[in-house]
Amino acid sequence: MRPPRHPAAILVFVSTWLASSLAFSQTPQVEFFSPQGEVKRVRQVQARFSVAMTPFGDPRETVEPFQIDCSEEGTARWVDTHNWVYDFGRDLPAGVRCEFQLREGLATLDGERLAGPRVFRFSTGGPAIVQSRPWEGSRGIDENQVFILELDAPAVPETVLRHAFFEVQGNAQRIGVRIVEGEDRREVLDSTYPYRERDEEMDARLLLVGARLTFPQDAEVALHWGVGIETSSGVATSEAQTLTFQTRPDFHARFHCTRENADRPCVALTPMRVHLSAPVAWEDARRFRLRGPDGFERGPEEGDDPPEWTEIVSFQGPFPADASFELSLPDGLQDDAGRPLLNQAEFPLTVRTGELPPLAKFADRFGVLESRAGGILPVTVRNLEADLEFAGLKLEQPSLPGQVLSVPTADVREVLGWLAKVRARGWDDRKQSVFAPPPVKTPEQAEAEALVEPESPAAVPVPSGEGRARRFTLPKPNGPKAFEVMGIPLEQPGFYVVELESRVLGEALLGIPASMYVPTTALVTDLAVHFKWGIENSLVWVTRLKTGEPASGAAIQVWDCSGQLRGEATTGDDGLAWLEQLPPPSDAPYCSWNEYSNGLLVTARSQGDFSFVHSNWDDGIEPWRYQLPQHYGSDLASAHTIFDRPLFRPSETVHMKHVLRRRSGTGFTLPETRELPVKVRISHTGSDQRFELPVRFDESGLAESTWPIPAEARLGTYSVGLVRENAEEWDDGWYAGSFRVEEFRVPLMRGHVRWPDGKLVQPQQVAVDVTVEYLAGGTAGLLPIAFRHRVRPGASPSVAEFEGFQFAGDKVEEGVFRGGEGAD
């Protein structure tokens, strides 16, 4: 039997194992080097050593750790005792190979030699396509399209011809590429970039290629940038790229015009157009002709500055009604690529206009009529039926049937219901009279609607005018086809619902043998009501329409969309009434989706007259049009977060102090306890990444919080929001400020440029002192410097005695002075 080990022996073993592990982890070596392998757009090389390599804060005496073999120059520096970086002057293009080898004899700060890997290599790969013109995915490219490829490094033409090709959908054969050079290249670049500045480096990276064969029309085309395409340094691509395009369809012309429905002729009032699938020269488009009866002839609409090429040729209306026209195109019409018109045989094309379409149109779905002007409701009619029989009675002249309902103004819920019903009518609703009873909902439908908006207040019930509307006839003494504006008399003050009925309109616009109903609402009154809805108080102003004078003694009532009375007042001699108890806009109820689904209806009654205004009627007079602030709900609070600094690095801690105030009519006040936020929501701009912190505000509206930036936090800008309790998930609360999280470099040196004292008047030379010092202390000598200067003239001085006097000399001088080693 094996005897048990002594505890002391186990302790010695564990201690020995820990010591050996720590010793292994501290083995002097390069524990991190980036980049390695094939990497694009390299700007910096980073190396991290496992032990200290240079004195803290004083890297001047340290030997550079690597021997560098690279075609691109850079600048080496120590970030700290363990980290070394090599910065290139630009993002490296393709075709660059770099090798970093540890110097022989390199030792640590303690004199130990380095172990581990000693050679590190990377390459930026072969030339890749950065972008193309036309853009990848473009539709409608030319059959002989020239593609402008912007590469990240110039490519060897022979390798492009060998490893790049085109493919066309449905064709298994590869199509070789050709490189566009010389004068053709210049013309393509000048036409694509007419205002480009000459840049030799960029021009070298622009490669223009085309296909050796013509592409078919309306086909998918793929450009394959294959493996093996090399830069001048011999570095080849290791991964292929594929760009897809679509060629344009064949060249054809299509005629378009507005019709009442698909089976009817063209509407004589609207333009006729020819749509071309490819551009044609305007000189050819100008020869399009539309000829009609009685010598009618019209050319295309040119405008003040016609384009050189166009794809739409438009003939402006109106045209003779119920007439036949011939649309002709010039013979031999060609597009910008010289392709002939495929359907040239379809022209001349015969087109026809019908009678002027029937029309029954009110100015809007609600209007105000002055009672002292007669209360005449205007309606525009044209080409409607004119019945000679109405309700079984013979009429003396043709008339258009209709119905009118005088709504009792004592019931404001019914007024709101009619306004909402007429405003919400859609196209399909016009098949049924507005006075028909609302459809009966099944219990299942009612339950489903309750589930959608369970917390919404009850909407105003839409009333039915069945049996209460009075039928009338609208005489048409000029006959059924006359185009005229007629008046429907509504003589007494009040609120009316008016509806016209037309079978001709229904057959023409609905496409079915049924009547079409055109409703509107009208308020006949001499009172004008104006409403200003404030947060702390509100104002109602009532005037007379005829005289413009204030209406004193008018009874004011304020109603919400559910028909609940929210406030009452009476106007004074100035026609004004103040209301203190109205809810703020954020607390007003929401009923249903239409113009009257929220807000307030303000009514005024005076001497048997009745009028109203709705808070949503602000089209054209919104506060923002007059640079006035507008605050609703949470906007009443002003939140501000004070940071210890606005820029942080990952893993640092953000310290914040939050200040919350409430706006009032006299300035700022402390927020109420129920309004205080309970958490801070930190949101990353550009993604859905969010972080939340609890927060507790004191009675003075102040709070403090800290946020250690987690490792998974993304770089970029973060906004800070203060969120109340029970806020929605999408609600970021009151915006309080923002900060940024970035990977940035900490400067190790600081430079100063000192100019000579005093004014310089035409000096031949200027002595400038340049000093560089380490932030850790001490001057940095033996550094090469490059002093770039640019001299520009200042503002020309003026001389009061000589008007228009100017000093001569507007020369701009530039230069670079380079100091050698040892320059201070």
Side-chain angles (χ1 to χ4, degrees), residues 646-709:
L647 181 61
F648 299 87
R649 302 173 76 174
S651 75
E652 293 183 337
T653 300
V654 183
H655 297 267
M656 297 169 281
K657 182 175 183 179
H658 312 287
V659 182
L660 186 65
R661 294 293 183 266
R662 181 180 177 86
R663 296 185 180 95
S664 67
T666 58
F668 290 103
T669 61
L670 294 177
E672 300 178 8
T673 304
R674 63 181 179 86
E675 295 179 319
L676 293 177
V678 296
K679 55 186 175 182
V680 177
R681 182 170 291 168
I682 301 175
S683 305
H684 179 260
T685 302
S687 73
D688 56 356
Q689 193 175 42
R690 289 181 175 182
F691 304 90
E692 291 187 352
L693 308 171
V695 68
R696 182 178 181 84
F697 279 79
D698 58 21
E699 296 179 352
S700 60
L702 299 177
E704 294 183 358
S705 58
T706 59
W707 181 52
I709 302 175

Coordinates of all heavy atoms in Angstrom, one line a residue, residues 646-709:
P646 N -14.4 65.1 -22.7 CA -15.3 64.5 -23.7 C -14.8 63.4 -24.5 O -15.5 62.8 -25.4 CB -15.5 65.7 -24.6 CG -14.3 66.5 -24.5 CD -13.7 66.3 -23.2
L647 N -13.5 63.0 -24.3 CA -12.8 62.0 -25.1 C -12.2 60.9 -24.2 O -11.5 61.3 -23.3 CB -11.8 62.6 -26.0 CG -11.0 61.6 -27.0 CD1 -12.0 61.0 -27.9 CD2 -9.9 62.4 -27.7
F648 N -12.5 59.6 -24.5 CA -12.1 58.6 -23.6 C -11.5 57.4 -24.5 O -11.8 57.3 -25.7 CB -13.2 58.0 -22.8 CG -13.8 59.0 -21.8 CD1 -14.9 59.8 -22.3 CD2 -13.4 59.2 -20.5 CE1 -15.4 60.7 -21.4 CE2 -13.9 60.1 -19.7 CZ -15.0 60.9 -20.1
R649 N -10.7 56.6 -23.8 CA -10.1 55.4 -24.4 C -10.8 54.2 -23.8 O -11.4 54.3 -22.7 CB -8.6 55.3 -24.2 CG -7.8 56.5 -24.7 CD -6.4 56.5 -24.3 NE -5.6 55.5 -25.1 CZ -4.3 55.3 -25.0 NH1 -3.6 56.1 -24.2 NH2 -3.7 54.4 -25.8
P650 N -10.9 53.1 -24.6 CA -11.5 51.9 -24.0 C -10.9 51.6 -22.6 O -9.7 51.7 -22.4 CB -11.2 50.9 -25.1 CG -11.1 51.6 -26.3 CD -10.4 52.9 -25.9
S651 N -11.7 51.0 -21.8 CA -11.4 50.6 -20.4 C -11.3 51.8 -19.4 O -11.1 51.5 -18.2 CB -10.1 49.8 -20.4 OG -9.0 50.6 -20.6
E652 N -11.4 53.0 -19.9 CA -11.4 54.1 -18.9 C -12.8 54.3 -18.3 O -13.7 53.7 -18.7 CB -10.9 55.4 -19.6 CG -9.5 55.4 -20.1 CD -9.0 56.7 -20.7 OE1 -9.8 57.4 -21.1 OE2 -7.8 56.9 -20.7
T653 N -12.9 55.2 -17.4 CA -14.1 55.5 -16.6 C -14.7 56.9 -16.9 O -13.9 57.8 -16.9 CB -14.0 55.3 -15.1 OG1 -13.5 54.0 -14.8 CG2 -15.3 55.5 -14.4
V654 N -15.9 57.0 -17.3 CA -16.6 58.2 -17.6 C -17.3 58.7 -16.3 O -18.1 58.0 -15.7 CB -17.6 58.1 -18.7 CG1 -18.2 59.4 -19.0 CG2 -17.0 57.5 -19.9
H655 N -16.9 59.9 -15.8 CA -17.5 60.5 -14.7 C -18.5 61.6 -15.1 O -18.1 62.5 -15.9 CB -16.5 61.1 -13.7 CG -15.5 60.1 -13.2 ND1 -15.7 59.5 -12.0 CD2 -14.4 59.6 -13.7 CE1 -14.7 58.7 -11.7 NE2 -13.9 58.7 -12.8
M656 N -19.7 61.5 -14.6 CA -20.8 62.4 -15.1 C -21.5 63.1 -13.9 O -21.8 62.4 -12.9 CB -21.8 61.6 -16.0 CG -21.2 61.0 -17.2 SD -22.4 59.8 -18.0 CE -22.1 58.4 -17.0
K657 N -21.9 64.3 -14.1 CA -22.8 65.0 -13.2 C -24.0 65.5 -14.0 O -23.8 66.2 -15.0 CB -22.1 66.2 -12.6 CG -22.9 67.0 -11.5 CD -22.1 68.0 -10.8 CE -23.0 68.7 -9.7 NZ -22.3 69.7 -9.0
H658 N -25.2 65.2 -13.6 CA -26.4 65.4 -14.3 C -27.2 66.6 -13.7 O -27.3 66.6 -12.4 CB -27.3 64.2 -14.4 CG -26.6 63.0 -14.8 ND1 -26.1 62.7 -16.1 CD2 -26.2 61.9 -14.1 CE1 -25.5 61.6 -16.2 NE2 -25.5 61.0 -15.0
V659 N -27.6 67.5 -14.5 CA -28.4 68.6 -14.0 C -29.8 68.6 -14.8 O -29.8 68.5 -16.0 CB -27.7 70.0 -14.3 CG1 -28.6 71.1 -13.7 CG2 -26.3 70.0 -13.7
L660 N -30.9 68.7 -14.0 CA -32.2 68.6 -14.6 C -33.0 69.8 -14.1 O -33.1 70.1 -12.9 CB -32.9 67.3 -14.3 CG -34.3 67.1 -14.9 CD1 -34.1 66.9 -16.4 CD2 -35.0 65.8 -14.3
R661 N -33.6 70.6 -15.1 CA -34.5 71.7 -14.7 C -35.7 71.7 -15.6 O -35.7 71.0 -16.6 CB -33.7 73.0 -15.0 CG -32.5 73.3 -14.1 CD -33.0 73.5 -12.6 NE -31.9 73.8 -11.7 CZ -31.2 72.8 -11.0 NH1 -31.6 71.6 -11.1 NH2 -30.2 73.2 -10.3
R662 N -36.8 72.3 -15.1 CA -38.0 72.4 -15.8 C -38.3 73.8 -16.3 O -38.1 74.8 -15.6 CB -39.2 71.9 -14.9 CG -40.5 72.0 -15.6 CD -41.6 71.5 -14.7 NE -42.9 71.6 -15.3 CZ -43.5 70.6 -16.0 NH1 -42.8 69.5 -16.2 NH2 -44.7 70.8 -16.6
R663 N -38.6 73.9 -17.6 CA -38.9 75.2 -18.2 C -40.3 75.7 -17.7 O -41.2 74.9 -17.5 CB -38.9 75.2 -19.7 CG -37.6 74.8 -20.3 CD -37.7 74.9 -21.8 NE -36.4 74.6 -22.4 CZ -36.1 73.4 -22.9 NH1 -36.9 72.4 -22.8 NH2 -34.9 73.1 -23.4
S664 N -40.4 77.0 -17.5 CA -41.7 77.6 -17.1 C -41.8 79.0 -17.7 O -40.9 79.5 -18.4 CB -41.7 77.8 -15.5 OG -40.8 78.7 -15.1
G665 N -42.9 79.6 -17.5 CA -43.1 80.9 -18.1 C -42.2 82.0 -17.5 O -42.0 83.0 -18.2
T666 N -41.6 81.8 -16.4 CA -40.7 82.7 -15.8 C -39.3 82.3 -15.8 O -38.4 83.0 -15.3 CB -41.1 82.9 -14.3 OG1 -41.1 81.7 -13.6 CG2 -42.5 83.5 -14.2
G667 N -39.0 81.2 -16.5 CA -37.6 80.8 -16.6 C -37.4 79.3 -16.3 O -38.1 78.4 -16.9
F668 N -36.6 78.9 -15.3 CA -36.4 77.5 -14.9 C -36.9 77.3 -13.5 O -36.7 78.2 -12.6 CB -34.9 77.1 -15.0 CG -34.4 77.1 -16.4 CD1 -33.6 78.1 -17.0 CD2 -34.7 76.0 -17.2 CE1 -33.1 78.0 -18.3 CE2 -34.2 75.9 -18.5 CZ -33.5 76.9 -19.0
T669 N -37.4 76.1 -13.3 CA -37.8 75.7 -11.9 C -37.3 74.3 -11.7 O -36.9 73.6 -12.6 CB -39.4 75.8 -11.8 OG1 -39.9 74.8 -12.7 CG2 -39.9 77.1 -12.0
L670 N -37.4 73.9 -10.4 CA -37.0 72.5 -10.1 C -38.0 71.5 -10.6 O -39.2 71.8 -10.5 CB -36.8 72.4 -8.6 CG -35.6 73.2 -8.0 CD1 -35.5 73.0 -6.5 CD2 -34.3 72.8 -8.6
P671 N -37.6 70.4 -11.1 CA -38.6 69.4 -11.5 C -39.4 68.8 -10.4 O -38.9 68.7 -9.2 CB -37.7 68.3 -12.3 CG -36.4 68.5 -11.6 CD -36.2 69.9 -11.2
E672 N -40.6 68.3 -10.7 CA -41.3 67.6 -9.7 C -40.8 66.2 -9.5 O -40.1 65.6 -10.3 CB -42.8 67.5 -10.2 CG -43.5 68.8 -10.4 CD -44.9 68.7 -10.9 OE1 -45.4 67.6 -10.9 OE2 -45.5 69.7 -11.2
T673 N -41.1 65.6 -8.3 CA -40.5 64.3 -7.9 C -40.9 63.3 -8.9 O -40.1 62.4 -9.3 CB -40.9 64.0 -6.5 OG1 -40.6 65.0 -5.6 CG2 -40.3 62.6 -6.1
R674 N -42.2 63.3 -9.4 CA -42.6 62.3 -10.3 C -41.9 62.3 -11.7 O -42.0 61.4 -12.5 CB -44.1 62.4 -10.5 CG -44.6 63.7 -11.2 CD -46.1 63.8 -11.3 NE -46.5 65.0 -11.9 CZ -46.6 65.2 -13.2 NH1 -46.3 64.2 -14.1 NH2 -47.0 66.4 -13.7
E675 N -41.3 63.5 -12.0 CA -40.6 63.6 -13.3 C -39.2 63.2 -13.3 O -38.5 63.1 -14.3 CB -40.7 65.1 -13.8 CG -42.1 65.6 -14.0 CD -42.1 67.0 -14.4 OE1 -41.3 67.8 -13.9 OE2 -42.8 67.4 -15.4
L676 N -38.6 62.9 -12.1 CA -37.2 62.7 -12.0 C -36.8 61.4 -12.7 O -37.5 60.4 -12.5 CB -36.7 62.6 -10.5 CG -36.8 64.0 -9.8 CD1 -36.5 63.8 -8.3 CD2 -35.9 65.0 -10.4
P677 N -35.7 61.3 -13.5 CA -35.3 60.1 -14.1 C -34.8 59.1 -13.1 O -34.4 59.5 -12.0 CB -34.2 60.6 -15.0 CG -34.3 62.0 -15.2 CD -34.9 62.5 -13.9
V678 N -34.8 57.8 -13.4 CA -34.4 56.8 -12.5 C -33.2 56.0 -13.1 O -32.6 55.2 -12.5 CB -35.5 55.8 -12.3 CG1 -36.6 56.5 -11.5 CG2 -36.0 55.1 -13.5
K679 N -32.9 56.3 -14.4 CA -31.7 55.6 -15.0 C -31.1 56.5 -16.1 O -31.8 57.3 -16.7 CB -32.1 54.2 -15.5 CG -33.2 54.2 -16.5 CD -33.6 52.8 -16.9 CE -34.8 52.8 -17.8 NZ -35.2 51.4 -18.1
V680 N -29.8 56.2 -16.3 CA -29.1 56.8 -17.4 C -28.9 55.8 -18.5 O -28.5 54.7 -18.3 CB -27.7 57.3 -16.9 CG1 -26.9 57.9 -18.1 CG2 -27.9 58.3 -15.8
R681 N -29.3 56.2 -19.7 CA -29.2 55.3 -20.9 C -28.1 55.9 -21.8 O -28.3 57.0 -22.4 CB -30.5 55.2 -21.6 CG -30.5 54.3 -22.8 CD -31.9 54.0 -23.4 NE -32.7 53.2 -22.4 CZ -34.0 53.1 -22.5 NH1 -34.7 53.6 -23.5 NH2 -34.6 52.3 -21.6
I682 N -27.1 55.1 -22.0 CA -25.9 55.5 -22.8 C -26.1 54.7 -24.1 O -26.0 53.5 -24.2 CB -24.6 55.2 -22.1 CG1 -24.5 56.0 -20.8 CG2 -23.4 55.6 -23.0 CD1 -23.3 55.7 -20.0
S683 N -26.2 55.4 -25.3 CA -26.5 54.8 -26.6 C -25.4 55.1 -27.5 O -25.0 56.3 -27.7 CB -27.9 55.3 -27.1 OG -28.9 55.1 -26.2
H684 N -24.9 54.1 -28.2 CA -23.9 54.3 -29.3 C -24.6 54.8 -30.6 O -25.6 54.2 -31.0 CB -23.2 53.0 -29.5 CG -22.2 53.1 -30.6 ND1 -22.4 52.6 -31.9 CD2 -20.9 53.6 -30.5 CE1 -21.3 52.8 -32.6 NE2 -20.4 53.4 -31.8
T685 N -24.0 55.8 -31.1 CA -24.6 56.4 -32.4 C -24.2 55.5 -33.5 O -23.0 55.3 -33.7 CB -24.1 57.8 -32.6 OG1 -24.4 58.6 -31.4 CG2 -24.7 58.4 -33.8
G686 N -25.2 55.1 -34.3 CA -24.9 54.3 -35.5 C -25.1 52.8 -35.3 O -24.9 52.0 -36.2
S687 N -25.4 52.4 -34.1 CA -25.7 51.0 -33.8 C -26.8 50.9 -32.7 O -27.3 51.9 -32.2 CB -24.5 50.2 -33.4 OG -24.1 50.5 -32.1
D688 N -27.2 49.7 -32.4 CA -28.2 49.5 -31.4 C -27.6 49.2 -30.0 O -28.3 48.7 -29.1 CB -29.2 48.4 -31.8 CG -28.5 47.1 -32.1 OD1 -27.3 47.1 -32.0 OD2 -29.2 46.1 -32.3
Q689 N -26.3 49.4 -29.8 CA -25.7 49.1 -28.5 C -26.1 50.1 -27.5 O -25.9 51.3 -27.7 CB -24.2 49.1 -28.7 CG -23.4 48.5 -27.6 CD -22.0 48.3 -27.8 OE1 -21.3 49.3 -28.4 NE2 -21.4 47.2 -27.5
R690 N -26.6 49.6 -26.3 CA -27.1 50.5 -25.3 C -26.5 50.0 -23.9 O -26.4 48.8 -23.7 CB -28.6 50.6 -25.2 CG -29.2 51.4 -26.3 CD -30.7 51.4 -26.2 NE -31.4 52.2 -27.1 CZ -32.7 52.4 -27.2 NH1 -33.5 51.9 -26.3 NH2 -33.2 53.2 -28.1
F691 N -26.4 50.9 -23.0 CA -26.0 50.6 -21.6 C -26.8 51.4 -20.7 O -27.1 52.6 -21.0 CB -24.5 50.8 -21.4 CG -23.6 50.1 -22.3 CD1 -23.2 50.7 -23.5 CD2 -23.1 48.8 -22.1 CE1 -22.4 50.1 -24.4 CE2 -22.3 48.2 -23.0 CZ -21.9 48.8 -24.1
E692 N -27.3 50.8 -19.6 CA -28.1 51.5 -18.6 C -27.5 51.5 -17.2 O -26.9 50.5 -16.8 CB -29.5 50.9 -18.6 CG -30.3 51.2 -19.9 CD -31.8 50.7 -19.7 OE1 -32.1 50.1 -18.7 OE2 -32.5 51.0 -20.7
L693 N -27.6 52.7 -16.6 CA -27.1 52.8 -15.2 C -28.2 53.4 -14.3 O -29.0 54.2 -14.7 CB -25.9 53.8 -15.2 CG -24.7 53.5 -16.1 CD1 -23.8 54.7 -16.1 CD2 -24.0 52.3 -15.8
P694 N -28.3 52.9 -13.1 CA -29.3 53.5 -12.2 C -28.8 54.9 -11.8 O -27.6 55.1 -11.7 CB -29.3 52.5 -11.0 CG -28.0 51.8 -11.0 CD -27.6 51.7 -12.5
V695 N -29.7 55.8 -11.5 CA -29.3 57.1 -11.1 C -30.3 57.6 -10.1 O -31.5 57.3 -10.2 CB -29.2 58.1 -12.3 CG1 -30.6 58.4 -12.9 CG2 -28.5 59.4 -11.9
R696 N -29.9 58.5 -9.1 CA -30.8 59.0 -8.1 C -30.6 60.5 -8.0 O -29.5 61.0 -7.7 CB -30.5 58.3 -6.8 CG -31.5 58.8 -5.7 CD -31.2 58.1 -4.4 NE -32.1 58.5 -3.3 CZ -33.3 58.0 -3.1 NH1 -33.8 57.1 -3.9 NH2 -34.1 58.5 -2.1
F697 N -31.6 61.3 -8.3 CA -31.5 62.7 -8.3 C -31.9 63.2 -6.9 O -32.9 62.6 -6.3 CB -32.5 63.3 -9.3 CG -31.9 63.4 -10.7 CD1 -31.9 62.3 -11.5 CD2 -31.3 64.5 -11.2 CE1 -31.3 62.3 -12.8 CE2 -30.8 64.6 -12.5 CZ -30.8 63.5 -13.3
D698 N -31.3 64.3 -6.4 CA -31.7 64.8 -5.2 C -32.7 65.9 -5.4 O -33.2 66.1 -6.5 CB -30.5 65.4 -4.4 CG -29.7 66.5 -5.3 OD1 -30.3 67.0 -6.2 OD2 -28.5 66.7 -5.0
E699 N -33.1 66.6 -4.3 CA -34.2 67.6 -4.4 C -33.8 68.8 -5.2 O -34.7 69.5 -5.7 CB -34.6 68.0 -3.0 CG -35.1 66.9 -2.1 CD -35.5 67.4 -0.7 OE1 -35.1 68.6 -0.4 OE2 -36.1 66.6 0.1
S700 N -32.6 69.0 -5.4 CA -32.1 70.2 -6.2 C -32.0 69.8 -7.7 O -31.5 70.6 -8.5 CB -30.8 70.7 -5.7 OG -29.8 69.7 -5.7
G701 N -32.4 68.6 -8.1 CA -32.3 68.2 -9.5 C -30.9 67.9 -10.0 O -30.6 68.0 -11.1
L702 N -30.0 67.4 -9.1 CA -28.7 67.0 -9.4 C -28.4 65.5 -9.1 O -29.0 65.0 -8.2 CB -27.7 67.9 -8.6 CG -27.7 69.4 -8.8 CD1 -26.7 70.1 -7.8 CD2 -27.4 69.8 -10.2
A703 N -27.5 64.9 -9.9 CA -27.2 63.5 -9.7 C -25.8 63.3 -10.3 O -25.4 64.0 -11.2 CB -28.2 62.6 -10.3
E704 N -25.1 62.3 -9.8 CA -23.8 61.9 -10.3 C -23.8 60.4 -10.6 O -24.5 59.6 -9.9 CB -22.7 62.2 -9.2 CG -22.5 63.7 -9.0 CD -21.4 64.0 -8.0 OE1 -20.8 63.0 -7.5 OE2 -21.1 65.2 -7.7
S705 N -23.0 60.0 -11.6 CA -22.9 58.6 -11.9 C -21.5 58.4 -12.6 O -20.9 59.4 -13.2 CB -24.0 58.2 -12.9 OG -24.1 59.0 -14.0
T706 N -21.1 57.2 -12.6 CA -19.8 56.8 -13.3 C -20.1 55.6 -14.2 O -21.0 54.8 -13.9 CB -18.7 56.5 -12.3 OG1 -19.2 55.4 -11.5 CG2 -18.4 57.7 -11.5
W707 N -19.4 55.5 -15.3 CA -19.5 54.4 -16.2 C -18.2 53.8 -16.6 O -17.5 54.5 -17.4 CB -20.4 54.8 -17.4 CG -20.6 53.7 -18.4 CD1 -21.1 52.4 -18.1 CD2 -20.3 53.7 -19.8 NE1 -21.2 51.7 -19.3 CE2 -20.7 52.4 -20.3 CE3 -19.8 54.6 -20.7 CZ2 -20.6 52.1 -21.6 CZ3 -19.7 54.2 -22.0 CH2 -20.1 53.0 -22.5
P708 N -17.8 52.7 -16.1 CA -16.5 52.1 -16.6 C -16.8 51.5 -18.0 O -17.7 50.7 -18.2 CB -16.3 51.0 -15.6 CG -17.1 51.3 -14.4 CD -18.3 52.0 -14.9
I709 N -16.1 52.0 -19.0 CA -16.3 51.6 -20.4 C -16.0 50.1 -20.5 O -14.8 49.7 -20.3 CB -15.5 52.5 -21.3 CG1 -15.8 54.0 -21.1 CG2 -15.7 52.1 -22.8 CD1 -14.9 54.9 -21.9

